[in-house]
Amino acid sequence: MASPSSSSIDQVSWRASVLSRFLQQSTDNSFQSLQSSVCLQYSPPELSEKFEFDVREMRRLLDDHNFEDRDWLMGLMMQSNLFSPRNSGGKVFVSPDYNQSMEQQREGWLTDRTLEGEMRKLTLMDVVTVFDHSLSVKIGVHFFLWGGAIQFFGTKRHHDKWLKDTEDYKVKGCFAMTELGHGSNVRGIETITTYDSNTGEFVINTPCESAQKYWIGGAANHATHTIVFSQLYINGSNQGVHAFIAQIRDLDGNMCPNIRIADCGHKIGLNGVDNGRIWFDNVRIPRENLLNSVADVSPDGQYLSEIKDPDHRFAAFLAPLTSGRVNIAGGSICSSKISLAIAIRYSLTRRAFSVSASRPEVLLLDYPSHQRRLLPLLAKTYAMVFAVNYLTKVYVTRTPKTNKSLHIVSSAFKAMFTWHNMRTLQECREACGGQGLKTETVLVILKVNLMCKPPLRENNVLMQQVSKALLAEYISAQKRKKPFEGLGLEHMNGPSPVILAQLTSSVLRSTKFQMDIFCLRERDLLKRFADDVSQHQAQGESKAHAVLLSFQLAVDLARVYSERMVLQTFFESETCHSEGPLKNVLGLLKTMYVMICLEEDASFLRYGYLSIENAAAVRKEVMKLCSELRPHALSLVSSFGIPDAFLSPIAFNWVEANSWSSVHH
Amino acid sequence: MASPSSSSIDQVSWRASVLSRFLQQSTDNSFQSLQSSVCLQYSPPELSEKFEFDVREMRRLLDDHNFEDRDWLMGLMMQSNLFSPRNSGGKVFVSPDYNQSMEQQREGWLTDRTLEGEMRKLTLMDVVTVFDHSLSVKIGVHFFLWGGAIQFFGTKRHHDKWLKDTEDYKVKGCFAMTELGHGSNVRGIETITTYDSNTGEFVINTPCESAQKYWIGGAANHATHTIVFSQLYINGSNQGVHAFIAQIRDLDGNMCPNIRIADCGHKIGLNGVDNGRIWFDNVRIPRENLLNSVADVSPDGQYLSEIKDPDHRFAAFLAPLTSGRVNIAGGSICSSKISLAIAIRYSLTRRAFSVSASRPEVLLLDYPSHQRRLLPLLAKTYAMVFAVNYLTKVYVTRTPKTNKSLHIVSSAFKAMFTWHNMRTLQECREACGGQGLKTETVLVILKVNLMCKPPLRENNVLMQQVSKALLAEYISAQKRKKPFEGLGLEHMNGPSPVILAQLTSSVLRSTKFQMDIFCLRERDLLKRFADDVSQHQAQGESKAHAVLLSFQLAVDLARVYSERMVLQTFFESETCHSEGPLKNVLGLLKTMYVMICLEEDASFLRYGYLSIENAAAVRKEVMKLCSELRPHALSLVSSFGIPDAFLSPIAFNWVEANSWSSVHH
């Protein structure tokens, strides 16, 4: 723990002099107007904290791509009145106002299909998240879900007809997949579509209340069109889930015939998004509105598809959700960055309790417990930034061959990073004490919004899917007697790593040990999961049910798989860098990331990867790393490059922001 | 895992027939109006679930006291229009409307000081929490903090003057302790009070912006009077923190002279409570307004106190906060009960995914992962209900001798139970999927309110205080070479318990093992904590700083201490009961409570209280207990005795509640 700086001692003696000055006057009974200068002084942390590495260089490393686009959009937001600038404590802050005017940067959003175009899109979504989750969800629904569905499920006829109008907001799209009766389980949806060859139309129907489309972002007020997911029946037989385009409102916003829409009701958080419910009463749409990249129906009513297996067809339909997962993973880390920047800045200006009566009060971040609360989360966030950059690259360079791996990694990262973000927000809020409760503090808003983001509910389902995919790969590699390829399991082709019996600090900090212990754990858990499932099967359970019974190992395995993938991206980002102060700090962060994973995961002890003594050494190392990272805390959050205006008054002069003179009388 | 009930199979074939009926009609192109009967049918869980023990008997065991008062107040709330009854899905629900009219049940709130009167008060607070947190906070501030301060800090002259008017709401009180610059650390507050012997008045002043009273419930709009905590200077020397009564508004609601008040600004959650900030500009109050049970100032300005040690005086001033902790501990468990009742009822009516294509979809609570998510929390909640009943008794029968123990137990339980509640709310919300996001689902509201309850911030501080007190007791017992007495550490007087090398299921379920392993862990952690602190001291750290460095062991120890205390109350409640189905279920809950504590706490492996094999046996036992408790899930939440109207539409017929006919057109 750093000792209190001399400036803090000055401050205390200054406060003592203020108090005694007051006491000398206090027998004077006349009213004394308070001087605003007579105050516990706020001291900007920049004055006392050191910067030992190049913050701009770190920022470039973190942001990875499209630097100018980020700066341009953030600058635009700060200058525009649309983003409700407010003055507090002598600084300007922007905050959500749920308006939609993003026309300037929509151009090329869907029609620019180059790699650069895709990277730019993801960058801008990231920046929008800094400002407001509701807005990013709305943009996400219109461009990524509606627009993405047309792009990926549709063919040329759909692209020509819809993409330009989508970019120009002439149509406003939504995405009607989930139903009241079926959320995560899309395969079970009950909406029914049939084909009428007399008129060349599809007829979409909601046969029962549980089939109402539910929780559809944008549907309640604004959307003119929707993608409808529905069971397709041809000549009485079910061809499975397909996607259609249906108009739900005319251009004046009037509801179309045979469409009924209701609001989902008041939600806490994300009220900026108009979630709605839709009923289709035998709505007729042209045959051409079937999004036919996977399957088509001929004018005379024949079902045509090159993919014969309905399961594969279904998988093809879910593919565009990948973009959603990539966005959410990135957005979660973005929101973690903001909350850490606020909480750490505050902890460098707020003091509480003296260690002894004669000593000054201690800065929050100089408490070992406060360091332990925030700094491991900071290290994790750094690690996950590199992982998001990796995921982005895998996404924009995807090919049919990498799709499976993309699916698995994006599922795992989405679940892990949203969980990380929930926890970070909660810890940061608590670390800000009473100040963390105010709306202006942003933290609470981010938390409520995230809490209310519908996809959150399926994290455990996603994790189990990841492990099922790894299990399938494991079984198939064993059967084929071939090495693992793809999915990141290549490390299992070699012999099992051996961990030293006695872990000194220098071993704990070595790259070899760090990768070895993560690989060892992953390899062992995959084997345990496979054994557990086959044991249940041997006892007569179906395979599907056996997997359900092994859910604990499944969730553990998926977590362990992600943690190793994240670490790998950290290594790769680190090795490109030349020796120097920046690389030293990266090394501390990386080791902290590994140590905190080791400390928090009981499997290391549960399955004996670490002895009791070594687990104790790990815990000690975490505390040591806390004090080594403490001096870099301010530089590390400054490197996030988030403009002050996007943070909160408590990240700056919170005394001034709370002063009487700042009250609107 | 229970197999799907036959009624669920009926339901699926019924749905299949509905679908095929529709398909036969679908070539008919005329518009078919939907029959509301054509729906996934909601089946009340009462029809399929069994009740194997007497729910009314269980409820009496849980509620423990003042049954009629509870029923009376809940009935009153349901019948009164003040509590905004709303119809949803054919049922009536009451929900918060932030009004204040609780006149009927205020009588005797403060003037009835019998033991029965106190029990009745706590009961009514509990019931109010069922309805709305904001309301309970408001009542808590007025009666428990303001009223309690007058009762405990004041003497006869204050009781005579203020208590009756408080009961009659003629004065509306608030409690101005925390300041912008000092929250948890009351000792550091900067408000200054001096005495003017010329006029016989105290002069209260806010010398600087950081001394503004901050986050004061009730201050922004309604309170007429406040308790002010302030440093008291007599003849230039600081006598420490004292409490005074000051008027801040006249009876017409106009601000008093030299008082400035501002709102704390918009918060997310608890906006029903008007948190405010107060500045005192040399406000003069009569000498008699010093609450003088601990210390007084004579008319000529002499400071008089029987307690010479300022630390002891300070401790005496904080004593009334105990009532707040008792209330919050109870309220947390209350809110956990509500959220579990909602989530478990929903999980008994909602299905998702089929295990195989030919099988019907599975009830949520028949998934092993869903059982594992909710049932351990249910067991913990039961255990904590017994602990709250114990705490209530210790509180109402408190004597100067038991005050220390009450302080420690109430601090530990408050921290543990609010943490438990946060987690329960989050899990229950996620367990309800999309339906958990709607305001009407209540879960989110409870969560946001809890998240925003200011005292939450200090849980870690409380836990460290608990461990510091245990450490002091440990050191003093060693010095005196006398056995432990009080504080619940008596179990340490005997020899250390011995745990069997091989833990079978029947050993795991035995009372002896359960108590032994908890005591062993507590004893060992207390010793480790003491050793760690003295090691740091040996390295030259001050004692205070040494304790800060050992914060991890401190928090662990306090948790472990609470868990053992909770278990003890469970044993005591259980033993009074005669053999039978109810006692059997209690036994399952108790074992689940122990097993989940063993599984979740890595210390068992970290410090070797459990071997790797035994830890695996514990994990298996948890899964086994999940399936054994599954059939009792409905009876166990029914035993909470929460009227349907206080739950949420999704706890009942959520299909009907979401039907088109329920939309307000």
Side-chain angles (χ1 to χ4, degrees):
Chain A
M1 187 183 134
S3 62
S5 65
S6 65
S7 77
S8 75
I9 294 173
D10 292 352
Q11 205 174 89
V12 167
S13 50
W14 169 81
R15 281 172 62 198
S17 77
V18 168
L19 289 181
S20 60
R21 215 183 321 142
F22 166 77
L23 287 168
Q24 284 156 11
Q25 301 172 341
S26 67
T27 43
D28 175 358
N29 295 334
S30 67
F31 172 81
Q32 290 142 23
S33 77
L34 283 171
Q35 308 291 318
S36 67
S37 70
V38 185
C39 253
L40 192 156
Q41 225 162 10
Y42 167 85
S43 163
E46 281 80 0
L47 294 185
S48 45
E49 299 289 319
K50 288 188 198 116
F51 288 80
E52 290 181 13
F53 61 86
D54 184 339
V55 166
R56 277 165 313 169
E57 193 188 344
M58 185 68 99
R59 195 197 151 193
R60 289 187 78 83
L61 183 65
L62 295 176
D63 281 355
D64 197 47
H65 58 89
N66 299 76
F67 310 108
E68 296 74 15
D69 288 330
R70 272 175 218 267
D71 288 340
W72 168 76
L73 183 53
M74 288 199 275
L76 189 80
M77 285 176 162
M78 280 187 280
Q79 284 156 30
S80 162
N81 279 325
L82 292 176
F83 291 91
S84 358
R86 274 174 321 122
N87 196 305
S88 180
K91 286 181 80 82
V92 172
F93 296 93
V94 294
S95 62
D97 192 30
Y98 303 123
N99 62 69
Q100 270 200 314
S101 302
M102 297 289 291
E103 283 80 8
Q104 295 97 325
Q105 53 274 359
R106 302 189 304 258
E107 238 167 82
W109 195 279
L110 288 163
T111 44
D112 178 355
R113 299 173 73 180
T114 60
L115 195 150
E116 290 70 31
E118 294 227 51
M119 292 292 264
R120 178 163 166 267
K121 248 186 275 183
L122 291 170
T123 306
L124 296 183
M125 277 301 283
D126 225 38
V127 172
V128 169
T129 306
V130 171
F131 177 71
D132 176 23
H133 258 284
S134 271
L135 188 56
S136 78
V137 171
K138 279 199 125 163
I139 294 180
V141 166
H142 180 71
F143 286 111
F144 284 90
L145 292 179
W146 155 267
I150 289 173
Q151 229 170 9
F152 299 116
F153 300 157
T155 52
K156 186 164 184 303
R157 69 176 187 232
H158 305 106
H159 301 165
D160 293 348
K161 182 161 180 193
W162 302 100
L163 289 186
K164 188 80 182 66
D165 281 358
T166 297
E167 271 182 18
D168 297 345
Y169 260 117
K170 282 194 187 141
V171 304
K172 294 180 194 119
C174 64
F175 189 78
M177 187 164 77
T178 48
E179 298 177 355
L180 174 61
H182 293 84
S184 298
N185 181 14
V186 179
R187 214 185 276 257
I189 58 172
E190 297 172 296
T191 302
I192 288 178
T193 299
T194 53
Y195 180 65
D196 181 352
S197 55
N198 298 324
T199 60
E201 290 170 317
F202 288 107
V203 185
I204 304 177
N205 197 56
T206 304
C208 53
E209 286 294 354
S210 56
Q212 65 182 266
K213 291 295 176 183
Y214 205 84
W215 213 258
I216 310 306
N221 297 134
H222 296 298
T224 59
H225 291 71
T226 186
I227 306 291
V228 191
F229 282 77
S230 166
Q231 307 286 352
L232 173 62
Y233 279 82
I234 295 293
N235 299 324
S237 92
N238 186 355
Q239 299 294 343
V241 174
H242 289 67
F244 305 84
I245 295 173
Q247 184 160 5
I248 55 176
R249 286 192 180 82
D250 65 23
L251 298 183
D252 300 327
N254 305 310
M255 211 90 78
C256 290
N258 297 2
I259 296 280
R260 287 174 289 153
I261 291 180
D263 201 289
C264 278
H266 187 263
K267 310 176 292 291
I268 298 226
L270 273 191
N271 274 308
V273 182
D274 53 322
N275 291 101
R277 305 186 269 153
I278 314 177
W279 290 256
F280 298 91
D281 300 327
N282 292 315
V283 172
R284 293 183 156 261
I285 57 167
R287 187 185 66 91
E288 292 74 18
N289 282 18
L290 168 63
L291 292 167
N292 62 341
S293 72
V294 168
D296 207 350
V297 172
S298 67
D300 63 339
Q302 298 309 305
Y303 185 76
L304 312 163
S305 176
E306 304 215 340
I307 308 177
K308 293 301 163 209
D309 183 337
D311 281 348
H312 291 175
R313 281 207 300 271
F314 182 70
F317 271 117
L318 292 191
L321 294 180
T322 306
S323 76
R325 285 195 291 268
V326 174
N327 276 327
I328 291 172
S332 301
I333 298 312
C334 210
S335 133
S336 300
K337 282 181 189 171
I338 298 172
S339 55
L340 282 165
I342 294 172
I344 286 180
R345 289 191 62 90
Y346 181 66
S347 72
L348 290 168
T349 67
R350 169 92 189 191
R351 293 166 187 277
F353 291 101
S354 311
V355 176
S356 66
S358 58
R359 298 269 295 278
E361 288 189 297
V362 179
L363 269 184
L364 289 186
L365 201 61
D366 286 329
Y367 281 96
S369 53
H370 214 81
Q371 294 171 6
R372 177 63 184 71
R373 168 177 252 173
L374 295 179
L375 300 181
L377 294 172
L378 182 63
K380 279 191 179 182
T381 302
Y382 261 79
M384 290 173 184
V385 168
F386 298 126
V388 165
N389 293 340
Y390 164 80
L391 178 61
T392 306
K393 270 176 206 141
V394 174
Y395 173 71
V396 298
T397 59
R398 67 194 174 280
T399 63
K401 212 179 147 220
T402 63
N403 256 342
K404 189 170 172 193
S405 159
L406 171 62
H407 181 83
I408 292 174
V409 177
S410 64
S411 301
F413 283 7
K414 183 260 169 186
M416 291 291 289
F417 297 180
T418 49
W419 275 330
H420 167 71
N421 188 32
M422 292 277 290
R423 197 179 142 202
T424 303
L425 291 172
Q426 179 66 21
E427 291 290 349
C428 288
R429 197 199 65 66
E430 288 183 27
C432 290
Q435 297 291 326
L437 303 177
K438 300 178 73 176
T439 305
E440 65 175 29
T441 304
V442 184
L443 295 183
V444 179
I445 303 185
L446 288 176
K447 164 123 194 172
V448 171
N449 277 349
L450 192 80
M451 202 162 80
C452 294
K453 216 159 177 178
L456 250 194
R457 63 187 158 202
E458 39 163 23
N459 273 353
N460 281 300
V461 175
L462 282 179
M463 293 297 263
Q464 290 179 59
Q465 281 172 358
V466 168
S467 288
K468 261 162 79 175
L470 298 177
L471 177 63
E473 183 74 6
Y474 179 78
I475 291 171
S476 117
Q478 279 194 323
K479 272 196 193 142
R480 288 181 288 120
K481 298 209 163 118
K482 279 197 174 167
F484 291 99
E485 209 198 315
L487 306 195
L489 295 178
E490 290 80 356
H491 66 90
M492 290 182 58
N493 294 326
S496 189
V498 178
I499 305 299
L500 290 175
Q502 263 227 321
L503 300 176
T504 61
S505 178
S506 76
V507 173
L508 290 173
R509 291 179 188 223
S510 71
T511 302
K512 179 164 165 26
F513 162 77
Q514 294 177 355
M515 199 35 110
D516 278 357
I517 187 104
F518 273 38
C519 289
L520 176 69
R521 173 178 63 153
E522 184 179 352
R523 171 193 289 253
D524 182 68
L525 274 173
L526 179 46
K527 196 173 165 316
R528 278 175 193 271
F529 178 51
D531 289 350
D532 207 48
V533 168
S534 72
Q535 230 170 61
H536 287 304
Q537 284 181 281
Q539 285 159 13
E541 299 285 356
S542 70
K543 179 159 180 210
H545 197 229
V547 169
L548 287 183
L549 287 170
S550 307
F551 75 95
Q552 261 175 319
L553 279 167
V555 173
D556 280 350
L557 171 62
R559 182 173 44 73
V560 155
Y561 170 80
S562 321
E563 285 179 355
R564 197 255 315 140
M565 291 291 285
V566 169
L567 181 61
Q568 212 159 310
T569 65
F570 204 142
F571 281 137
E572 280 155 20
S573 308
E574 191 199 17
T575 45
C576 324
H577 254 263
S578 51
E579 300 297 324
L582 190 146
K583 190 159 185 165
N584 291 344
V585 176
L586 280 179
L588 292 179
L589 289 167
K590 188 198 61 185
T591 298
M592 175 64 103
Y593 173 70
V594 174
M595 292 304 124
I596 202 68
C597 290
L598 295 187
E599 196 189 357
E600 286 177 349
D601 179 8
S603 343
F604 287 101
L605 286 158
R606 185 180 294 283
Y607 303 121
Y609 315 138
L610 285 180
S611 66
I612 288 181
E613 293 70 33
N614 285 337
V618 165
R619 179 169 270 199
K620 252 200 191 130
E621 203 66 20
V622 170
M623 291 307 299
K624 220 166 123 190
L625 285 161
C626 278
S627 58
E628 289 175 55
L629 280 170
R630 160 67 186 85
H632 305 293
L634 183 64
S635 345
L636 287 170
V637 296
S638 303
S639 301
F640 291 152
I642 302 159
D644 293 359
F646 289 87
L647 298 179
S648 137
I650 72 153
F652 302 97
N653 191 340
W654 48 271
V655 178
E656 173 71 21
N658 276 295
S659 67
W660 175 253
S661 60
S662 75
V663 177
H664 300 287
H665 305 287
Chain B
M1 188 179 134
S3 63
S5 65
S6 66
S7 77
S8 76
I9 293 173
D10 292 351
Q11 205 174 88
V12 166
S13 51
W14 170 83
R15 281 173 62 198
S17 78
V18 168
L19 289 181
S20 61
R21 217 182 319 143
F22 167 78
L23 287 169
Q24 284 156 11
Q25 303 172 340
S26 67
T27 44
D28 175 359
N29 293 335
S30 67
F31 172 81
Q32 290 142 22
S33 77
L34 283 172
Q35 309 292 316
S36 68
S37 70
V38 185
C39 252
L40 192 156
Q41 226 163 9
Y42 166 85
S43 163
E46 281 79 0
L47 295 184
S48 45
E49 299 289 319
K50 289 188 198 115
F51 287 80
E52 291 180 13
F53 61 86
D54 185 340
V55 166
R56 276 166 312 172
E57 193 189 344
M58 184 69 99
R59 194 196 152 195
R60 288 189 78 82
L61 183 64
L62 294 176
D63 281 356
D64 198 47
H65 57 91
N66 298 77
F67 310 109
E68 295 75 18
D69 287 330
R70 272 177 218 266
D71 289 341
W72 168 76
L73 184 53
M74 289 199 273
L76 189 80
M77 285 176 162
M78 282 188 279
Q79 284 156 30
S80 164
N81 279 324
L82 290 176
F83 291 92
S84 357
R86 273 174 321 122
N87 196 305
S88 180
K91 287 181 79 79
V92 172
F93 295 93
V94 293
S95 62
D97 193 30
Y98 302 123
N99 61 69
Q100 270 200 315
S101 302
M102 298 289 289
E103 284 80 10
Q104 294 97 327
Q105 53 274 2
R106 294 187 315 254
E107 237 168 83
W109 195 280
L110 288 161
T111 41
D112 178 356
R113 299 173 75 180
T114 60
L115 195 148
E116 289 70 31
E118 293 228 49
M119 292 293 263
R120 179 166 167 264
K121 251 187 273 185
L122 290 169
T123 305
L124 297 182
M125 278 299 283
D126 225 38
V127 173
V128 169
T129 306
V130 172
F131 177 70
D132 175 23
H133 257 287
S134 271
L135 189 56
S136 77
V137 172
K138 279 199 126 163
I139 294 181
V141 166
H142 179 71
F143 286 111
F144 284 91
L145 292 179
W146 156 266
I150 290 174
Q151 229 170 7
F152 300 115
F153 300 157
T155 50
K156 186 164 184 303
R157 68 176 187 232
H158 305 106
H159 301 165
D160 292 347
K161 182 161 179 193
W162 303 99
L163 290 185
K164 189 79 182 62
D165 281 357
T166 298
E167 272 181 18
D168 297 346
Y169 260 119
K170 281 195 191 142
V171 304
K172 295 181 194 120
C174 64
F175 190 77
M177 186 164 78
T178 51
E179 297 177 356
L180 174 61
H182 292 84
S184 299
N185 182 13
V186 179
R187 214 185 278 256
I189 58 172
E190 297 171 297
T191 301
I192 288 178
T193 298
T194 52
Y195 181 66
D196 181 351
S197 55
N198 299 325
T199 61
E201 290 170 317
F202 287 108
V203 185
I204 304 177
N205 197 55
T206 304
C208 53
E209 285 294 354
S210 56
Q212 65 182 266
K213 290 295 176 183
Y214 203 85
W215 212 257
I216 309 306
N221 298 133
H222 296 298
T224 58
H225 291 71
T226 186
I227 306 291
V228 191
F229 282 77
S230 165
Q231 307 286 353
L232 173 61
Y233 279 83
I234 295 292
N235 300 324
S237 94
N238 186 355
Q239 300 294 343
V241 175
H242 289 68
F244 304 84
I245 296 173
Q247 183 159 6
I248 56 177
R249 286 190 180 84
D250 65 23
L251 297 182
D252 299 327
N254 304 309
M255 210 91 77
C256 290
N258 296 1
I259 296 280
R260 289 174 289 152
I261 291 180
D263 202 289
C264 278
H266 187 264
K267 309 176 293 287
I268 300 224
L270 275 191
N271 273 308
V273 181
D274 54 323
N275 291 101
R277 305 185 268 153
I278 313 175
W279 290 256
F280 298 90
D281 300 327
N282 291 316
V283 172
R284 295 185 155 260
I285 56 167
R287 187 186 65 91
E288 291 75 18
N289 283 17
L290 168 63
L291 291 166
N292 62 340
S293 73
V294 169
D296 207 347
V297 171
S298 66
D300 63 339
Q302 298 310 305
Y303 185 76
L304 312 164
S305 176
E306 305 215 340
I307 308 179
K308 293 302 161 207
D309 183 337
D311 281 348
H312 290 177
R313 280 205 303 267
F314 181 70
F317 271 118
L318 292 190
L321 293 180
T322 307
S323 76
R325 284 195 293 270
V326 173
N327 274 327
I328 292 172
S332 301
I333 297 313
C334 209
S335 134
S336 299
K337 282 182 187 171
I338 298 172
S339 54
L340 282 166
I342 294 172
I344 287 181
R345 289 191 63 91
Y346 181 67
S347 73
L348 291 168
T349 68
R350 169 93 190 189
R351 294 166 186 278
F353 292 99
S354 310
V355 176
S356 67
S358 58
R359 298 268 296 277
E361 289 189 298
V362 179
L363 269 185
L364 290 186
L365 200 60
D366 285 328
Y367 281 95
S369 53
H370 214 81
Q371 293 170 7
R372 177 63 183 71
R373 168 176 252 172
L374 295 179
L375 299 181
L377 293 172
L378 182 63
K380 278 190 180 179
T381 302
Y382 261 80
M384 290 173 185
V385 168
F386 299 126
V388 165
N389 292 342
Y390 164 79
L391 179 61
T392 306
K393 270 177 208 142
V394 174
Y395 174 69
V396 297
T397 57
R398 67 194 175 280
T399 62
K401 211 180 151 218
T402 63
N403 257 342
K404 189 170 173 192
S405 160
L406 171 61
H407 182 82
I408 292 174
V409 176
S410 65
S411 301
F413 283 6
K414 182 261 171 185
M416 292 291 287
F417 297 179
T418 49
W419 275 331
H420 168 70
N421 188 33
M422 293 275 289
R423 196 176 144 206
T424 303
L425 291 172
Q426 180 66 22
E427 292 290 349
C428 287
R429 198 200 64 68
E430 289 184 25
C432 290
Q435 298 291 326
L437 303 177
K438 301 177 72 174
T439 305
E440 63 176 31
T441 303
V442 183
L443 294 183
V444 179
I445 304 186
L446 288 176
K447 165 122 193 171
V448 171
N449 276 350
L450 192 79
M451 202 162 80
C452 294
K453 217 158 177 177
L456 250 193
R457 63 189 158 202
E458 39 163 22
N459 273 353
N460 281 300
V461 175
L462 283 179
M463 293 297 263
Q464 291 179 58
Q465 281 172 357
V466 168
S467 288
K468 261 163 78 175
L470 297 178
L471 177 63
E473 183 74 8
Y474 179 79
I475 292 171
S476 115
Q478 280 194 323
K479 272 197 193 144
R480 286 182 289 120
K481 298 209 163 115
K482 279 196 176 168
F484 291 98
E485 209 199 316
L487 305 196
L489 295 177
E490 290 80 357
H491 66 90
M492 290 181 60
N493 293 327
S496 189
V498 178
I499 305 298
L500 290 175
Q502 262 225 319
L503 300 176
T504 61
S505 178
S506 76
V507 173
L508 289 173
R509 292 179 188 222
S510 70
T511 302
K512 179 165 167 22
F513 163 77
Q514 295 177 353
M515 199 35 112
D516 277 357
I517 188 105
F518 273 38
C519 288
L520 175 69
R521 173 177 64 153
E522 183 179 352
R523 172 194 290 253
D524 182 68
L525 273 174
L526 179 47
K527 194 175 168 314
R528 278 176 193 272
F529 177 53
D531 289 351
D532 207 47
V533 169
S534 74
Q535 231 170 60
H536 287 304
Q537 283 181 281
Q539 283 158 14
E541 301 285 355
S542 70
K543 179 161 181 208
H545 197 229
V547 170
L548 286 183
L549 287 170
S550 307
F551 74 96
Q552 263 176 317
L553 280 167
V555 173
D556 280 349
L557 170 62
R559 182 173 44 72
V560 155
Y561 170 80
S562 320
E563 286 180 352
R564 197 258 313 142
M565 290 291 286
V566 169
L567 181 61
Q568 211 159 312
T569 65
F570 205 142
F571 281 137
E572 279 156 22
S573 309
E574 191 198 18
T575 44
C576 323
H577 254 263
S578 50
E579 300 297 324
L582 191 146
K583 189 159 186 167
N584 291 343
V585 176
L586 281 179
L588 292 178
L589 289 167
K590 188 199 61 185
T591 298
M592 174 66 102
Y593 173 71
V594 174
M595 291 303 124
I596 202 67
C597 290
L598 296 186
E599 196 188 359
E600 286 177 350
D601 179 7
S603 339
F604 287 100
L605 286 158
R606 184 179 295 281
Y607 303 121
Y609 315 138
L610 286 180
S611 65
I612 288 182
E613 293 70 34
N614 285 337
V618 165
R619 180 169 268 201
K620 252 199 192 130
E621 203 65 20
V622 169
M623 292 307 299
K624 220 166 124 193
L625 285 162
C626 278
S627 59
E628 289 175 57
L629 279 170
R630 160 69 186 85
H632 304 294
L634 182 65
S635 346
L636 287 171
V637 295
S638 302
S639 301
F640 290 153
I642 302 160
D644 293 359
F646 289 89
L647 299 178
S648 135
I650 73 153
F652 303 97
N653 192 341
W654 48 271
V655 178
E656 173 72 21
N658 276 295
S659 68
W660 175 253
S661 60
S662 75
V663 177
H664 300 287
H665 307 288

